[in-house]
Amino acid sequence: MVFQDLIIKKRDGRELDLGEIEYLVQGISDHSIPDYQVSAWAMAVFFQGMNRREIRDLSLAMARSGDMIDLSSIPGIKVDKHSTGGVGDKTTLVVVPLVAAAGIPVAKMSGRGLGHTGGTIDKFEAIPGFQVEKAGPAFIDQVKRIKAAVIAQSGNLVPADKRLYALRDVTGTVESIPLIASSIMSKKIASGAQAILLDVKVGQGAFMKDLDRARELARTMVEIGQGVGREVAAVISDMSQPLGCTVGNTLEVKEAIDTLRGHGPGDLEELCVYLAARMLRLGRRFEELAEAERWVREALKNGQGLTKLMEMVEAQGGEIDLGDENYGLPRAQIQHLCLASRSGFICELNAMQVGLTAMHLGAGRECLDDRIDHRVGVELCKKVGQPVKEGETLAIIHAQNRELIPEAIAHLQQAFHFSEEEPQAPALILDCIE
Ligand code: URA
């Protein structure tokens, strides 16, 4: 096979067969196909797309390019969760303990944040002592014992995606539905769970800027999963404004604990209850969604979710002090108020701008090798739909370096938009595709 012929075939809008896709994935994994040819092929896919069969074959071939995690020794239906990435998305810290507390095992591998979006592993690492590296047997043993573990993706999980994603990142080919869907689903398939809940984010702070594209991505991923014998549901949720009131790793851990104690922000609680209930249905713990939601709400009230988080934290070497007002988490040295320059209602709170502000303060990375500071970030005091008076606090900047504050304020001033009239807060849960 000559790879150039496969680029031409895709460039001309023709279909690649299974053998050609396997040859491509092999060549990406063993570097026998050079960067410029992989990139040219990705650009051809960007413009010509792939059909459902090609996307499924690509996902499965990529999944098999590295370790395939075997969770079969863990009793019960293993349910995984994945978010396509957002700002302030700390749902995993809340949802995984809730689902595990109901007896459904969650053996989750997560990634680190890149760009304006945060990563679950960075958030867990903000808990002092928390270990995100665990060898396979210890990971499986923890899930058998306490039903939940969240660790960093193993170095050899879907190596083909690692190389392809790095090339897409620098060649303008990230925003392609077949490539995003196969990238995400290959990792989920390799991670071994039988059932997967996807949270597809839509809005300015997400990859998918409009609902139609988010639905198409969700449908594509659900079909890939079903095509390889996994049960998949995809929730579509709003990411036009950040989720909850905090962006930045330690701040988000604190907010997740508050939520498990029953006093988190309304939007975060609403989404977590819905996602956890959907996972409990995928795990066959409840037939009806309403029944599952009732159980989850009760678990927030009676502390079962919080107890499970504490078990997870202890099992992974971390320390949280529930008696301390900041739960024993380190605080940034500087808290600087960002004040409203006018009165009105908040009609838009740009998630991308808030994410970039947190990144600028050191909470996120531009490149995967960048070091981050878990303590810094942004606490939002106003969200869309709320009234504000001139001089009131819009947000609190948590920083370690005073020199970064003027630019952080400038970013935040661009994030908040005002109107005279009271606007409608955006709907949070927009659809669910099963
Ligand atoms: N997340 C992934 O893992 N892959 C993509 O292509 C986009 C988001």
Side-chain angles (χ1 to χ4, degrees):
M1 229 177 276
V2 179
F3 191 64
Q4 189 179 336
D5 295 341
L6 305 192
I7 301 173
I8 292 169
K9 215 170 167 186
K10 196 32 79 186
R11 180 201 69 189
D12 295 344
R14 284 179 289 142
E15 192 179 324
L16 300 188
D17 65 29
L18 174 61
E20 291 167 329
I21 288 174
E22 285 176 342
Y23 173 74
L24 158 80
V25 172
Q26 180 64 41
I28 295 175
S29 307
D30 65 16
H31 290 248
S32 59
I33 305 173
D35 286 358
Y36 52 86
Q37 284 192 312
V38 177
S39 305
W41 172 82
M43 189 57 87
V45 171
F46 184 90
F47 284 111
Q48 294 290 359
M50 293 178 110
N51 67 26
R52 291 291 201 257
R53 199 266 316 145
E54 286 177 292
I55 303 174
R56 191 198 57 219
D57 288 350
L58 178 62
S59 307
L60 203 50
M62 291 220 295
R64 290 179 176 147
S65 70
D67 297 342
M68 296 283 280
I69 311 298
D70 180 5
L71 302 177
S72 60
S73 64
I74 303 168
I77 301 175
K78 279 70 70 182
V79 184
D80 199 353
K81 155 189 188 292
H82 181 84
S83 156
T84 59
V87 178
D89 183 357
K90 66 282 288 174
T91 52
T92 294
L93 281 85
V94 181
V95 167
V96 168
L98 285 168
V99 172
I104 297 298
V106 188
K108 184 161 170 48
M109 291 193 163
S110 285
R112 294 180 191 281
L114 190 59
H116 71 282
T117 64
T120 296
I121 284 303
D122 298 322
K123 293 171 205 195
F124 275 106
E125 276 186 332
I127 300 170
F130 195 97
Q131 296 302 316
V132 298
E133 309 286 341
K134 247 189 186 211
F139 171 56
I140 287 177
D141 182 59
Q142 181 177 324
V143 182
K144 280 186 186 162
R145 237 174 352 96
I146 66 167
K147 305 272 183 222
V150 178
I151 60 166
Q153 263 161 31
S154 84
N156 197 36
L157 195 84
V158 195
D161 179 63
K162 252 184 219 120
R163 179 159 177 237
L164 180 56
Y165 192 86
L167 291 172
R168 287 167 56 209
D169 203 25
V170 292
T171 56
T173 50
V174 168
E175 290 89 355
S176 151
I177 287 179
L179 296 180
I180 297 176
S182 52
S183 164
I184 292 174
M185 290 307 293
S186 61
K187 285 174 285 203
K188 292 291 109 182
I189 294 165
S191 299
Q194 292 122 298
I196 302 154
L197 182 70
L198 302 165
D199 182 9
V200 177
K201 300 290 187 192
V202 59
Q204 291 147 347
F207 278 113
M208 296 293 118
K209 307 291 180 208
D210 67 73
L211 190 53
D212 285 346
R213 294 224 349 126
R215 282 206 177 99
E216 195 190 331
L217 176 63
R219 253 184 245 118
T220 306
M221 292 195 290
V222 169
E223 283 178 23
I224 295 171
Q226 286 167 350
V228 300
R230 310 290 166 98
E231 196 166 343
V232 185
V235 173
I236 300 178
S237 67
D238 179 64
M239 188 36 71
S240 58
Q241 65 174 334
L243 185 62
C245 298
T246 57
V247 181
N249 299 292
T250 302
L251 296 170
E252 293 190 46
V253 171
K254 177 167 187 300
E255 190 170 64
I257 298 171
D258 287 342
T259 304
L260 283 168
R261 298 185 110 182
H263 39 85
D267 61 344
L268 179 61
E269 179 176 310
E270 180 189 343
L271 185 59
C272 288
V273 168
Y274 187 74
L275 295 175
R278 284 263 165 208
M279 286 175 76
L280 291 180
R281 219 167 70 121
L282 282 170
R284 305 261 188 276
R285 174 71 168 74
F286 295 99
E287 277 277 311
E288 298 297 326
L289 192 64
E291 203 187 345
E293 285 191 4
R294 262 196 305 280
W295 189 93
V296 176
R297 284 190 198 287
E298 198 49 43
L300 288 177
K301 270 204 215 119
N302 64 27
Q304 283 190 72
L306 180 65
T307 303
K308 186 57 73 180
L309 176 74
M310 296 303 283
E311 282 176 40
M312 274 176 74
V313 169
E314 195 194 332
Q316 295 189 232
E319 239 176 275
I320 285 176
D321 177 359
L322 292 177
D324 178 76
E325 66 166 344
N326 209 45
Y327 303 135
L329 303 166
R331 275 168 75 85
Q333 276 165 14
I334 305 162
Q335 276 75 42
H336 187 96
L337 306 186
C338 175
L339 306 178
S341 53
R342 54 163 288 187
S343 300
F345 290 91
I346 307 298
C347 63
E348 187 189 320
L349 174 50
N350 188 306
M352 172 76 91
Q353 283 293 339
V354 178
L356 290 174
T357 311
M359 191 175 96
H360 163 79
L361 290 165
R365 3 179 128 65
E366 274 169 73
C367 311
L368 264 178
D369 298 336
D370 289 349
R371 280 181 71 84
I372 60 170
D373 189 327
H374 292 114
R375 298 163 294 183
V376 302
V378 177
E379 201 177 332
L380 300 162
C381 304
K382 297 284 174 187
K383 291 195 65 182
V384 174
Q386 291 185 316
V388 57
K389 291 208 170 66
E390 186 181 338
E392 249 189 293
T393 305
L394 289 176
I396 305 169
I397 294 167
H398 293 250
Q400 283 294 104
N401 180 350
R402 267 186 207 287
E403 284 169 21
L404 299 178
I405 289 178
E407 203 177 324
I409 292 177
H411 273 301
L412 282 179
Q413 296 289 3
Q414 283 173 36
F416 283 94
H417 295 245
F418 297 81
S419 64
E420 297 294 335
E421 307 280 302
E422 183 173 354
Q424 282 235 313
L428 180 62
I429 297 164
L430 301 162
D431 204 350
C432 183
I433 289 164
E434 291 181 274

